[in-house]
Structures are given as structure tokens and as C-alpha cells.
């Protein structure tokens, strides 16, 4: 493999992972960001993220001289073969993606690029963005390519180095193949297509997963009404290869930095194209109701009122394996509980103790979070929660456990003398005395 000169603009989850992993593959990478303090920290290999393997990849890249971090739009942009744009595209006031950061990159860097450079958009952008950028490009000869990312927080390095697929889209096929060649040697199917199709693949994938989760959460509610077990139902569904076993676990709702943003953006795109995408609209509405459904379970567990009730929360991040609190369904539930007067103490393996996350006082131990609680709510699927000493918890305050992730070992919890309320399970509450 011939080492390429790559610039990555944006040092967030996607940009930093892209830069570190390309350096790991032997390319010469410069990563730039507008946050000078972040650049200084990254230059010391202080990544400030809970992302397995990423700090080590950054450190190794710096030490090998394959990775550098700089502030702003450096002169080196004129000397690279590829510029990857990985800046945020948050939800705008109308639900569509806000491309302000992408446009700022083009404004600052556009006239610095050499004619042989390929401009690669990693940011999630609406369909038609690549075509618009190509038309507005200030450097004749610079090809613009879509190369959407499919990185899961908590697995970003693994997903980059061992992708399930590589998607590259452009009307300039030669440029698209140059980008695809950067991933040579990875055992993954590569799709080279037009820019509009590549842009839509990312939205279509995330929105399908969101709809699948909303479907399962509604199915769990139906199971409770009919006396069925959601675990058995989804196990039977998942054995069908057309459906698959992933994203079939009920929970407090979906969140994070991607699904809420991308569902809104695709819905806005559909409306602009005058396409009725009521299926996606319903999935979003279902997810909005899910936090209220969880809050109702907690209220019922507390006896009908949450005023002054101490509630312990286990898990605050939007999913296990990350420290990301953005659009966390756990915090959405916490806000509803606090609005009803609950006193919230929480623990998360990745959250700093002795601070607040919204209305939650964060502590350093799951036992501290739950020792005086009347109700304990499991909100994030951290595996360690399944290994807690439930007998110790029962002797401390005998709380009711609301497990929104169906994570806990039901038999052990009930044998410890605790009442367990799960998602999508038939009535199975038992009480035992603490020895």
C-alpha cells in the first residue's frame, strides 16, 4: 500500500477515529479542528472520550509521526491527496440537517486544495449536498465524494478497521475508486455508487434501525397486555434470517447523537420531496412516548406518586460503552421523573461522580445511588449491572426494581426479596424476606 497524504477536518468522534485509523493503516494524516484547546489536548494524546482503542491509536500515530493535530485550516491542505470533512451537522429549526459547519469548511479551505485532491464528505448530509458542493467548488478539478460513516460509539475503532461495508458515492467514478482504495485490504464489500445514493444509504440505515426499535418497544407493551414474554417473542423473530436478532431489545427509547438527528433529517427530506413517510413519522412519535411509558412504570412502582420519592438510576448514557449523554433516553426519563417531584441519584460507569447530569446527582457507586431509593431504575444496558449484589441491595432499602433494558437476572433479583418490573414481561413479581 502506498501511503497517502490525508487531512481530516473535525476532531469529534468520527473525525478523530478516521484520522487515527488512517494513520494506523500507514497513511500520513493531519487532523484539524477549530477548538484550539482540543487540538492541544489531542497533541498530547488526551482524547477526552470514552472510546475503546482510540486513545492508543492516537498515541501510536503521534509517536510514529503518522498523525498530527493542528488548529484551523492549515497551509498543508494544499499538499494533501484527500481532505475528509467530518464536522457536525446538527438538526436545524425545521428538522433538516444544519450544514453551517460544512459550508464553513468549504469557505475556509476550498481555494487551498490542489486540483488533484479529492474532497470527501464523511459528515452525514442531506441528499443532494455532494452535487451542490461540486457545483459550488472553488477549486476546478477537485472531485467531491460521499463516504458516509457507519461507526458505533463504543466500537468506533473496531468498526473502522473491520467495517461491514464501505460506501463511496460520486459522479466522478475515478475519484470514488481512489477513495475506495484507501480501504483496500479490509474484508468488507464496497459499494461504489452515485452521490445521492451514498448520502441516502446512511439515513436509510439509521432510520430503519430507529423504526425497528420503536416497533419492538410497542411490541413489548403489547406483550404486557397479552401475557406474552417479549424475550421469547423476539428470540423467535430473530431466528428468521430476514429479520435478524439485532435491535430487537426493548428499552427506554432510542437516542444518542445519530438516530434522533437522522430521523428528523430524513423526514424533512421526504417532506421537501412531497413524499409521505408516515411510517418514519410514527416511529418518532412512538419513541417520544416511550419515556412517558417508563415514567408511568416508575410512578406505579412508587405507589402512584413520585413527590419526594428517592429514585436511584443505573445508567445515564444513551447506551453502554460510551460516555455520551447527548439525547440520552435515560436523561429524558430522568427529566420526567424530576418534574413529578422525584429525588434522583444516579450512577453510570462512564460518568464523573459528584456532579449533576440534568436533574440527577451523580455518585461513584451503584450501591450509593440505590441505598436509600424506593425505586431503582435500570436505564442503560451496562453489563456490570447484571452482576450487582442484589442481596446487599435488598437489605439496604428493599427498593422496587424497574428494569427498562431487560438486563437483570430475574431469578436472582426476586430471590433476593426484591420486586422486579421489566419491559414486555408477563406478571412475575415475588417477594422474599432478607435474611
Amino acid at each position: 500500500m502506498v501511503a497517502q497524504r490525508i487531512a481530516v477536518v473535525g476532531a469529534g468522534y468520527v473525525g478523530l477515529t478516521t484520522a487515527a485509523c488512517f494513520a494506523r493503516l500507514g497513511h500520513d494524516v493531519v487532523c484539524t479542528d477549530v477548538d484550539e484547546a482540543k487540538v492541544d489536548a489531542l497533541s498530547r494524546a488526551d482524547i477526552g472520550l470514552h472510546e475503546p482503542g482510540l486513545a492508543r491509536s492516537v498515541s501510536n500515530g503521534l509517536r510514529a509521526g503518522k498523525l498530527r493535530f493542528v488548529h484551523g485550516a492549515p497551509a498543508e491542505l494544499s499538499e494533501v491527496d484527500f481532505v475528509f470533512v467530518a464536522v457536525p451537522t446538527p438538526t436545524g429549526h425545521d428538522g433538516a440537517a444544519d450544514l453551517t459547519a460544512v459550508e464553513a469548511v468549504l469557505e475556509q479551505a476550498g481555494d487551498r486544495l490542489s486540483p488533484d485532491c479529492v474532497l470527501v464528505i464523511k459528515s452525514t448530509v442531506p441528499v443532494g449536498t455532494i452535487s451542490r458542493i461540486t457545483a459550488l467548488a472553488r477549486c476546478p478539478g477537485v472531485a467531491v465524494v460521499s463516504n458516509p460513516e457507519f461507526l458505533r460509539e463504543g466500537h468506533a475503532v473496531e468498526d473502522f478497521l473491520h467495517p461491514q461495508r464501505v460506501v463511496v458515492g460520486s459522479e466522478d467514478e475515478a475519484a470514488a475508486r481512489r477513495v475506495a482504495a484507501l480501504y483496500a485490504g479490509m474484508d468488507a464489500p464496497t459499494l461504489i455508487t452515485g452521490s445521492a445514493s451514498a448520502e441516502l444509504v446512511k439515513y436509510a440505515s439509521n432510520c430503519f434501525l430507529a423504526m425497528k426499535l420503536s416497533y419492538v418497544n410497542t411490541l413489548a407493551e403489547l406483550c404486557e397486555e397479552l401475557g406474552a414474554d417479549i424475550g421469547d417473542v423476539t428470540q423467535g423473530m430473530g431466528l428468521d434470517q430476514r429479520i435478524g436478532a439485532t435491535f430487537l431489545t426493548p428499552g427506554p427509547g432510542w437516542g444518542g447523537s445519530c438516530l434522533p438527528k437522522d430521523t428528523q433529517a430524513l423526514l424533512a427530506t421526504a417532506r421537501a420531496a412531497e413524499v409521505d413517510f408516515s411510517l418514519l413519522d410514527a416511529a418518532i412519535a412512538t419513541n417520544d412516548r416511550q419515556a412517558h411509558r417508563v415514567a408511568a412504570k416508575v410512578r406505579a412502582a412508587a405507589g402512584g406518586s413520585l413527590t419526594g420519592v428517592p429514585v436511584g438510576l443505573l445508567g445515564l448514557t444513551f447506551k453502554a460503552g460510551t460516555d455520551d449523554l447527548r439525547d440520552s433516553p435515560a436523561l429524558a426519563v430522568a427529566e420526567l421523573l424530576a418534574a413529578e417531584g422525584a429525588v434522583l441519584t444516579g450512577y453510570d460507569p462512564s460518568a464523573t461522580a459528584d456532579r449533576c447530569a440534568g436533574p440527577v446527582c451523580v455518585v461513584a457507586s451503584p450501591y450509593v445511588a440505590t441505598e436509600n431509593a424506593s425505586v431503582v431504575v435500570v436505564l442503560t444496558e451496562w453489563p456490570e449491572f447484571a452482576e450487582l449484589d442484589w442481596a446487599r441491595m435488598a437489605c439496604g432499602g428493599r427498593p422496587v426494581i424497574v428494569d427498562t433494558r431487560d438486563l437483570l437476572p430475574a431469578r436472582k433479583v426476586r430471590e433476593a426479596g426484591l420486586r422486579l418490573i421489566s419491559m414486555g414481561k408477563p406478571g412475575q413479581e415475588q417477594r422474599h424476606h432478607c435474611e
Side-chain angles (χ1 to χ4, degrees):
M1 180 197 70
V2 176
Q4 301 293 321
R5 299 167 300 174
I6 298 173
V8 179
V9 182
Y13 271 100
V14 175
L16 183 57
T17 301
T18 300
C21 288
F22 272 140
R24 180 167 169 173
L25 293 174
H27 300 294
D28 297 307
V29 183
V30 56
C31 183
T32 176
D33 198 275
V34 296
D35 186 335
E36 191 168 1
K38 177 187 284 189
V39 168
D40 290 343
L42 290 173
S43 297
R44 302 189 303 270
D46 179 6
I47 69 170
L49 296 173
H50 181 91
E51 191 62 49
L54 185 54
R56 187 175 187 179
S57 294
V58 169
S59 179
N60 289 344
L62 290 168
R63 188 164 49 249
K66 287 292 185 179
L67 178 62
R68 295 183 297 114
F69 295 96
V70 298
H71 175 250
E76 289 97 324
L77 290 182
S78 63
E79 303 171 357
V80 299
D81 304 302
F82 301 87
V83 173
F84 282 77
V85 178
V87 295
T89 53
T91 302
H93 67 278
D94 59 351
D98 183 347
L99 298 180
T100 301
V102 174
E103 292 168 351
V105 171
L106 298 177
E107 180 67 26
Q108 296 170 11
D111 57 2
R112 301 189 183 192
L113 307 182
S114 70
D116 294 329
C117 179
V118 179
L119 183 63
V120 187
I121 307 300
K122 268 286 184 189
S123 301
T124 303
V125 296
V127 177
T129 301
I130 299 300
S131 295
R132 184 160 65 89
I133 291 174
T134 301
L136 296 176
R138 297 163 60 186
C139 287
V142 172
V144 186
V145 174
S146 172
N147 178 214
E149 54 85 15
F150 302 99
L151 307 179
R152 298 167 297 162
E153 289 188 31
H155 302 272
V157 173
E158 174 189 352
D159 288 346
F160 189 99
L161 296 175
H162 305 283
Q164 293 184 349
R165 77 280 207 196
V166 175
V167 177
V168 184
S170 179
E171 279 55 62
D172 185 331
E173 184 176 347
R177 293 194 178 280
R178 283 180 62 192
V179 174
L182 294 173
Y183 300 91
M186 296 182 179
D187 186 18
T190 299
L191 171 65
I192 295 179
T193 183
S195 60
S197 297
E199 290 165 331
L200 190 53
V201 166
K202 175 59 184 293
Y203 283 113
S205 298
N206 277 354
C207 292
F208 181 82
L209 296 177
M211 290 190 291
K212 193 174 182 181
L213 289 170
S214 285
Y215 176 80
V216 168
N217 281 333
T218 302
L219 196 61
E221 185 176 4
L222 185 61
C223 285
E224 293 172 12
E225 296 298 325
L226 300 179
D229 187 314
I230 187 63
D232 292 342
V233 172
T234 55
Q235 182 180 6
M237 292 171 59
L239 293 173
D240 187 330
Q241 294 182 359
R242 297 169 301 172
I243 298 173
T246 60
F247 278 72
L248 285 181
T249 303
W254 38 265
S257 62
C258 291
L259 296 191
K261 174 175 69 74
D262 291 353
T263 50
Q264 291 291 345
L266 185 58
L267 194 58
T269 297
R271 287 170 178 160
E274 298 184 346
V275 172
D276 182 1
F277 209 153
S278 54
L279 187 63
L280 180 57
D281 205 1
I284 295 170
T286 296
N287 193 60
D288 291 341
R289 291 194 299 271
Q290 191 66 8
H292 292 272
R293 182 167 173 254
V294 172
K297 283 182 174 289
V298 179
R299 185 191 314 115
S305 174
L306 287 167
T307 303
V309 174
V311 176
L313 306 181
L314 296 179
L316 301 172
T317 53
F318 85 94
K319 70 171 188 175
T322 179
D323 58 356
D324 199 344
L325 299 173
R326 290 176 292 177
D327 277 308
S328 170
L331 294 185
V333 171
E335 294 284 355
L336 293 175
L337 299 179
E340 293 193 37
V343 180
L344 305 177
T345 305
Y347 167 77
D348 190 284
S350 71
T352 304
D354 301 323
R355 69 179 179 94
C356 290
V360 186
C361 176
V362 183
V363 295
S365 161
Y367 300 108
V368 174
T370 60
E371 62 183 352
N372 296 314
S374 297
V375 184
V376 171
V377 192
V378 178
L379 290 167
T380 309
E381 72 282 17
W382 289 98
E384 67 184 67
F385 293 157
E387 305 299 325
L388 292 175
D389 186 341
W390 297 103
R392 173 180 172 183
M393 195 170 291
C395 291
R398 301 182 59 77
V400 180
I401 313 296
V402 178
D403 180 7
T404 73
R405 296 285 187 170
D406 288 347
L407 174 70
L408 306 183
R411 182 181 60 81
K412 289 183 179 180
V413 173
R414 294 198 298 270
E415 286 180 352
L418 299 168
R419 179 183 167 204
L420 177 64
I421 300 173
S422 300
M423 306 289 284
K425 301 287 185 179
Q428 80 284 47
E429 300 164 10
Q430 297 182 17
R431 296 175 182 273
H432 297 275
H433 293 294
C434 180
E435 300 297 327

mmCIF file with all atom_site columns, all heavy atoms in Angstrom, residues 9-12 33 85-90 98-102 123-124 261 326:
data_model
loop_
_atom_site.group_PDB
_atom_site.id
_atom_site.type_symbol
_atom_site.label_atom_id
_atom_site.label_alt_id
_atom_site.label_comp_id
_atom_site.label_asym_id
_atom_site.label_entity_id
_atom_site.label_seq_id
_atom_site.pdbx_PDB_ins_code
_atom_site.Cartn_x
_atom_site.Cartn_y
_atom_site.Cartn_z
_atom_site.occupancy
_atom_site.B_iso_or_equiv
_atom_site.pdbx_formal_charge
_atom_site.auth_seq_id
_atom_site.auth_comp_id
_atom_site.auth_asym_id
_atom_site.auth_atom_id
_atom_site.pdbx_PDB_model_num
ATOM 1   N N   . VAL A 1 9   ? -10.821 17.142 8.609  1.00 0.00 ? 9   VAL A N   1
ATOM 2   C CA  . VAL A 1 9   ? -11.313 18.377 9.204  1.00 0.00 ? 9   VAL A CA  1
ATOM 3   C C   . VAL A 1 9   ? -12.423 18.031 10.192 1.00 0.00 ? 9   VAL A C   1
ATOM 4   O O   . VAL A 1 9   ? -13.472 17.519 9.806  1.00 0.00 ? 9   VAL A O   1
ATOM 5   C CB  . VAL A 1 9   ? -11.843 19.341 8.134  1.00 0.00 ? 9   VAL A CB  1
ATOM 6   C CG1 . VAL A 1 9   ? -12.302 20.645 8.781  1.00 0.00 ? 9   VAL A CG1 1
ATOM 7   C CG2 . VAL A 1 9   ? -10.771 19.614 7.086  1.00 0.00 ? 9   VAL A CG2 1
ATOM 8   N N   . GLY A 1 10  ? -12.156 18.305 11.466 1.00 0.00 ? 10  GLY A N   1
ATOM 9   C CA  . GLY A 1 10  ? -13.093 17.944 12.526 1.00 0.00 ? 10  GLY A CA  1
ATOM 10  C C   . GLY A 1 10  ? -12.540 16.820 13.360 1.00 0.00 ? 10  GLY A C   1
ATOM 11  O O   . GLY A 1 10  ? -12.189 15.760 12.827 1.00 0.00 ? 10  GLY A O   1
ATOM 12  N N   . ALA A 1 11  ? -12.436 17.051 14.687 1.00 0.00 ? 11  ALA A N   1
ATOM 13  C CA  . ALA A 1 11  ? -11.820 16.057 15.571 1.00 0.00 ? 11  ALA A CA  1
ATOM 14  C C   . ALA A 1 11  ? -12.816 15.534 16.600 1.00 0.00 ? 11  ALA A C   1
ATOM 15  O O   . ALA A 1 11  ? -12.468 15.292 17.742 1.00 0.00 ? 11  ALA A O   1
ATOM 16  C CB  . ALA A 1 11  ? -10.596 16.654 16.279 1.00 0.00 ? 11  ALA A CB  1
ATOM 17  N N   . GLY A 1 12  ? -14.073 15.352 16.171 1.00 0.00 ? 12  GLY A N   1
ATOM 18  C CA  . GLY A 1 12  ? -15.062 14.712 17.032 1.00 0.00 ? 12  GLY A CA  1
ATOM 19  C C   . GLY A 1 12  ? -14.942 13.202 16.935 1.00 0.00 ? 12  GLY A C   1
ATOM 20  O O   . GLY A 1 12  ? -13.906 12.662 16.511 1.00 0.00 ? 12  GLY A O   1
ATOM 21  N N   . ASP A 1 33  ? -8.942  21.107 13.716 1.00 0.00 ? 33  ASP A N   1
ATOM 22  C CA  . ASP A 1 33  ? -10.186 21.438 14.403 1.00 0.00 ? 33  ASP A CA  1
ATOM 23  C C   . ASP A 1 33  ? -10.160 22.912 14.795 1.00 0.00 ? 33  ASP A C   1
ATOM 24  O O   . ASP A 1 33  ? -9.074  23.495 15.001 1.00 0.00 ? 33  ASP A O   1
ATOM 25  C CB  . ASP A 1 33  ? -10.354 20.565 15.658 1.00 0.00 ? 33  ASP A CB  1
ATOM 26  C CG  . ASP A 1 33  ? -11.782 20.542 16.178 1.00 0.00 ? 33  ASP A CG  1
ATOM 27  O OD1 . ASP A 1 33  ? -12.146 21.456 16.942 1.00 0.00 ? 33  ASP A OD1 1
ATOM 28  O OD2 . ASP A 1 33  ? -12.534 19.624 15.805 1.00 0.00 ? 33  ASP A OD2 1
ATOM 29  N N   . VAL A 1 85  ? -14.023 15.631 5.375  1.00 0.00 ? 85  VAL A N   1
ATOM 30  C CA  . VAL A 1 85  ? -14.784 16.586 6.176  1.00 0.00 ? 85  VAL A CA  1
ATOM 31  C C   . VAL A 1 85  ? -15.666 15.804 7.142  1.00 0.00 ? 85  VAL A C   1
ATOM 32  O O   . VAL A 1 85  ? -16.533 15.028 6.723  1.00 0.00 ? 85  VAL A O   1
ATOM 33  C CB  . VAL A 1 85  ? -15.639 17.504 5.284  1.00 0.00 ? 85  VAL A CB  1
ATOM 34  C CG1 . VAL A 1 85  ? -16.458 18.468 6.143  1.00 0.00 ? 85  VAL A CG1 1
ATOM 35  C CG2 . VAL A 1 85  ? -14.757 18.261 4.304  1.00 0.00 ? 85  VAL A CG2 1
ATOM 36  N N   . ALA A 1 86  ? -15.407 16.000 8.434  1.00 0.00 ? 86  ALA A N   1
ATOM 37  C CA  . ALA A 1 86  ? -16.138 15.253 9.469  1.00 0.00 ? 86  ALA A CA  1
ATOM 38  C C   . ALA A 1 86  ? -16.583 16.214 10.566 1.00 0.00 ? 86  ALA A C   1
ATOM 39  O O   . ALA A 1 86  ? -16.216 16.072 11.732 1.00 0.00 ? 86  ALA A O   1
ATOM 40  C CB  . ALA A 1 86  ? -15.258 14.137 10.040 1.00 0.00 ? 86  ALA A CB  1
ATOM 41  N N   . VAL A 1 87  ? -17.357 17.202 10.171 1.00 0.00 ? 87  VAL A N   1
ATOM 42  C CA  . VAL A 1 87  ? -17.840 18.210 11.116 1.00 0.00 ? 87  VAL A CA  1
ATOM 43  C C   . VAL A 1 87  ? -19.309 17.950 11.431 1.00 0.00 ? 87  VAL A C   1
ATOM 44  O O   . VAL A 1 87  ? -20.001 17.259 10.677 1.00 0.00 ? 87  VAL A O   1
ATOM 45  C CB  . VAL A 1 87  ? -17.643 19.638 10.556 1.00 0.00 ? 87  VAL A CB  1
ATOM 46  C CG1 . VAL A 1 87  ? -16.163 19.951 10.405 1.00 0.00 ? 87  VAL A CG1 1
ATOM 47  C CG2 . VAL A 1 87  ? -18.362 19.801 9.219  1.00 0.00 ? 87  VAL A CG2 1
ATOM 48  N N   . PRO A 1 88  ? -19.827 18.515 12.530 1.00 0.00 ? 88  PRO A N   1
ATOM 49  C CA  . PRO A 1 88  ? -21.214 18.242 12.927 1.00 0.00 ? 88  PRO A CA  1
ATOM 50  C C   . PRO A 1 88  ? -22.235 18.790 11.930 1.00 0.00 ? 88  PRO A C   1
ATOM 51  O O   . PRO A 1 88  ? -22.026 19.840 11.314 1.00 0.00 ? 88  PRO A O   1
ATOM 52  C CB  . PRO A 1 88  ? -21.340 18.954 14.284 1.00 0.00 ? 88  PRO A CB  1
ATOM 53  C CG  . PRO A 1 88  ? -19.939 19.148 14.757 1.00 0.00 ? 88  PRO A CG  1
ATOM 54  C CD  . PRO A 1 88  ? -19.115 19.328 13.532 1.00 0.00 ? 88  PRO A CD  1
ATOM 55  N N   . THR A 1 89  ? -23.337 18.056 11.797 1.00 0.00 ? 89  THR A N   1
ATOM 56  C CA  . THR A 1 89  ? -24.488 18.526 11.014 1.00 0.00 ? 89  THR A CA  1
ATOM 57  C C   . THR A 1 89  ? -25.733 18.369 11.889 1.00 0.00 ? 89  THR A C   1
ATOM 58  O O   . THR A 1 89  ? -26.541 17.466 11.675 1.00 0.00 ? 89  THR A O   1
ATOM 59  C CB  . THR A 1 89  ? -24.645 17.731 9.709  1.00 0.00 ? 89  THR A CB  1
ATOM 60  O OG1 . THR A 1 89  ? -24.676 16.322 10.010 1.00 0.00 ? 89  THR A OG1 1
ATOM 61  C CG2 . THR A 1 89  ? -23.496 18.007 8.767  1.00 0.00 ? 89  THR A CG2 1
ATOM 62  N N   . PRO A 1 90  ? -25.888 19.228 12.884 1.00 0.00 ? 90  PRO A N   1
ATOM 63  C CA  . PRO A 1 90  ? -26.995 19.081 13.847 1.00 0.00 ? 90  PRO A CA  1
ATOM 64  C C   . PRO A 1 90  ? -28.350 19.364 13.208 1.00 0.00 ? 90  PRO A C   1
ATOM 65  O O   . PRO A 1 90  ? -28.438 19.860 12.073 1.00 0.00 ? 90  PRO A O   1
ATOM 66  C CB  . PRO A 1 90  ? -26.651 20.131 14.907 1.00 0.00 ? 90  PRO A CB  1
ATOM 67  C CG  . PRO A 1 90  ? -25.872 21.172 14.164 1.00 0.00 ? 90  PRO A CG  1
ATOM 68  C CD  . PRO A 1 90  ? -25.072 20.411 13.142 1.00 0.00 ? 90  PRO A CD  1
ATOM 69  N N   . ASP A 1 98  ? -28.381 20.924 9.624  1.00 0.00 ? 98  ASP A N   1
ATOM 70  C CA  . ASP A 1 98  ? -27.764 22.245 9.546  1.00 0.00 ? 98  ASP A CA  1
ATOM 71  C C   . ASP A 1 98  ? -26.350 22.073 8.977  1.00 0.00 ? 98  ASP A C   1
ATOM 72  O O   . ASP A 1 98  ? -25.486 21.470 9.615  1.00 0.00 ? 98  ASP A O   1
ATOM 73  C CB  . ASP A 1 98  ? -27.716 22.865 10.941 1.00 0.00 ? 98  ASP A CB  1
ATOM 74  C CG  . ASP A 1 98  ? -27.141 24.279 10.944 1.00 0.00 ? 98  ASP A CG  1
ATOM 75  O OD1 . ASP A 1 98  ? -26.564 24.690 9.925  1.00 0.00 ? 98  ASP A OD1 1
ATOM 76  O OD2 . ASP A 1 98  ? -27.268 24.958 11.979 1.00 0.00 ? 98  ASP A OD2 1
ATOM 77  N N   . LEU A 1 99  ? -26.123 22.624 7.795  1.00 0.00 ? 99  LEU A N   1
ATOM 78  C CA  . LEU A 1 99  ? -24.844 22.438 7.105  1.00 0.00 ? 99  LEU A CA  1
ATOM 79  C C   . LEU A 1 99  ? -23.881 23.598 7.312  1.00 0.00 ? 99  LEU A C   1
ATOM 80  O O   . LEU A 1 99  ? -22.907 23.742 6.562  1.00 0.00 ? 99  LEU A O   1
ATOM 81  C CB  . LEU A 1 99  ? -25.103 22.236 5.605  1.00 0.00 ? 99  LEU A CB  1
ATOM 82  C CG  . LEU A 1 99  ? -25.939 21.015 5.234  1.00 0.00 ? 99  LEU A CG  1
ATOM 83  C CD1 . LEU A 1 99  ? -26.104 20.939 3.722  1.00 0.00 ? 99  LEU A CD1 1
ATOM 84  C CD2 . LEU A 1 99  ? -25.319 19.731 5.764  1.00 0.00 ? 99  LEU A CD2 1
ATOM 85  N N   . THR A 1 100 ? -24.123 24.421 8.328  1.00 0.00 ? 100 THR A N   1
ATOM 86  C CA  . THR A 1 100 ? -23.280 25.592 8.562  1.00 0.00 ? 100 THR A CA  1
ATOM 87  C C   . THR A 1 100 ? -21.805 25.223 8.680  1.00 0.00 ? 100 THR A C   1
ATOM 88  O O   . THR A 1 100 ? -20.932 25.882 8.083  1.00 0.00 ? 100 THR A O   1
ATOM 89  C CB  . THR A 1 100 ? -23.736 26.335 9.829  1.00 0.00 ? 100 THR A CB  1
ATOM 90  O OG1 . THR A 1 100 ? -25.094 26.744 9.666  1.00 0.00 ? 100 THR A OG1 1
ATOM 91  C CG2 . THR A 1 100 ? -22.870 27.552 10.100 1.00 0.00 ? 100 THR A CG2 1
ATOM 92  N N   . ALA A 1 101 ? -21.508 24.172 9.456  1.00 0.00 ? 101 ALA A N   1
ATOM 93  C CA  . ALA A 1 101 ? -20.109 23.791 9.667  1.00 0.00 ? 101 ALA A CA  1
ATOM 94  C C   . ALA A 1 101 ? -19.476 23.278 8.381  1.00 0.00 ? 101 ALA A C   1
ATOM 95  O O   . ALA A 1 101 ? -18.311 23.560 8.085  1.00 0.00 ? 101 ALA A O   1
ATOM 96  C CB  . ALA A 1 101 ? -20.007 22.738 10.768 1.00 0.00 ? 101 ALA A CB  1
ATOM 97  N N   . VAL A 1 102 ? -20.230 22.515 7.594  1.00 0.00 ? 102 VAL A N   1
ATOM 98  C CA  . VAL A 1 102 ? -19.700 22.019 6.319  1.00 0.00 ? 102 VAL A CA  1
ATOM 99  C C   . VAL A 1 102 ? -19.406 23.177 5.387  1.00 0.00 ? 102 VAL A C   1
ATOM 100 O O   . VAL A 1 102 ? -18.350 23.238 4.738  1.00 0.00 ? 102 VAL A O   1
ATOM 101 C CB  . VAL A 1 102 ? -20.708 21.048 5.667  1.00 0.00 ? 102 VAL A CB  1
ATOM 102 C CG1 . VAL A 1 102 ? -20.228 20.644 4.267  1.00 0.00 ? 102 VAL A CG1 1
ATOM 103 C CG2 . VAL A 1 102 ? -20.891 19.804 6.528  1.00 0.00 ? 102 VAL A CG2 1
ATOM 104 N N   . SER A 1 123 ? -19.248 13.678 6.978  1.00 0.00 ? 123 SER A N   1
ATOM 105 C CA  . SER A 1 123 ? -20.402 14.155 7.738  1.00 0.00 ? 123 SER A CA  1
ATOM 106 C C   . SER A 1 123 ? -21.685 13.628 7.097  1.00 0.00 ? 123 SER A C   1
ATOM 107 O O   . SER A 1 123 ? -21.770 13.454 5.880  1.00 0.00 ? 123 SER A O   1
ATOM 108 C CB  . SER A 1 123 ? -20.436 15.679 7.746  1.00 0.00 ? 123 SER A CB  1
ATOM 109 O OG  . SER A 1 123 ? -19.264 16.225 8.305  1.00 0.00 ? 123 SER A OG  1
ATOM 110 N N   . THR A 1 124 ? -22.678 13.386 7.941  1.00 0.00 ? 124 THR A N   1
ATOM 111 C CA  . THR A 1 124 ? -23.979 12.958 7.439  1.00 0.00 ? 124 THR A CA  1
ATOM 112 C C   . THR A 1 124 ? -24.714 14.169 6.879  1.00 0.00 ? 124 THR A C   1
ATOM 113 O O   . THR A 1 124 ? -25.063 15.091 7.615  1.00 0.00 ? 124 THR A O   1
ATOM 114 C CB  . THR A 1 124 ? -24.799 12.301 8.558  1.00 0.00 ? 124 THR A CB  1
ATOM 115 O OG1 . THR A 1 124 ? -24.052 11.201 9.102  1.00 0.00 ? 124 THR A OG1 1
ATOM 116 C CG2 . THR A 1 124 ? -26.130 11.787 8.030  1.00 0.00 ? 124 THR A CG2 1
ATOM 117 N N   . LYS A 1 261 ? -31.300 12.752 15.257 1.00 0.00 ? 261 LYS A N   1
ATOM 118 C CA  . LYS A 1 261 ? -30.960 13.742 14.233 1.00 0.00 ? 261 LYS A CA  1
ATOM 119 C C   . LYS A 1 261 ? -31.280 13.221 12.837 1.00 0.00 ? 261 LYS A C   1
ATOM 120 O O   . LYS A 1 261 ? -31.874 13.939 12.009 1.00 0.00 ? 261 LYS A O   1
ATOM 121 C CB  . LYS A 1 261 ? -29.467 14.076 14.345 1.00 0.00 ? 261 LYS A CB  1
ATOM 122 C CG  . LYS A 1 261 ? -28.913 14.974 13.269 1.00 0.00 ? 261 LYS A CG  1
ATOM 123 C CD  . LYS A 1 261 ? -27.469 15.325 13.539 1.00 0.00 ? 261 LYS A CD  1
ATOM 124 C CE  . LYS A 1 261 ? -26.536 14.153 13.401 1.00 0.00 ? 261 LYS A CE  1
ATOM 125 N NZ  . LYS A 1 261 ? -26.316 13.765 11.973 1.00 0.00 ? 261 LYS A NZ  1
ATOM 126 N N   . ARG A 1 326 ? -25.629 12.823 24.995 1.00 0.00 ? 326 ARG A N   1
ATOM 127 C CA  . ARG A 1 326 ? -26.452 13.562 24.042 1.00 0.00 ? 326 ARG A CA  1
ATOM 128 C C   . ARG A 1 326 ? -27.720 12.790 23.701 1.00 0.00 ? 326 ARG A C   1
ATOM 129 O O   . ARG A 1 326 ? -27.678 11.632 23.312 1.00 0.00 ? 326 ARG A O   1
ATOM 130 C CB  . ARG A 1 326 ? -25.663 13.856 22.767 1.00 0.00 ? 326 ARG A CB  1
ATOM 131 C CG  . ARG A 1 326 ? -24.555 14.874 22.938 1.00 0.00 ? 326 ARG A CG  1
ATOM 132 C CD  . ARG A 1 326 ? -23.755 15.033 21.655 1.00 0.00 ? 326 ARG A CD  1
ATOM 133 N NE  . ARG A 1 326 ? -22.995 13.842 21.336 1.00 0.00 ? 326 ARG A NE  1
ATOM 134 C CZ  . ARG A 1 326 ? -22.258 13.702 20.238 1.00 0.00 ? 326 ARG A CZ  1
ATOM 135 N NH1 . ARG A 1 326 ? -22.206 14.690 19.354 1.00 0.00 ? 326 ARG A NH1 1
ATOM 136 N NH2 . ARG A 1 326 ? -21.585 12.577 20.018 1.00 0.00 ? 326 ARG A NH2 1
#
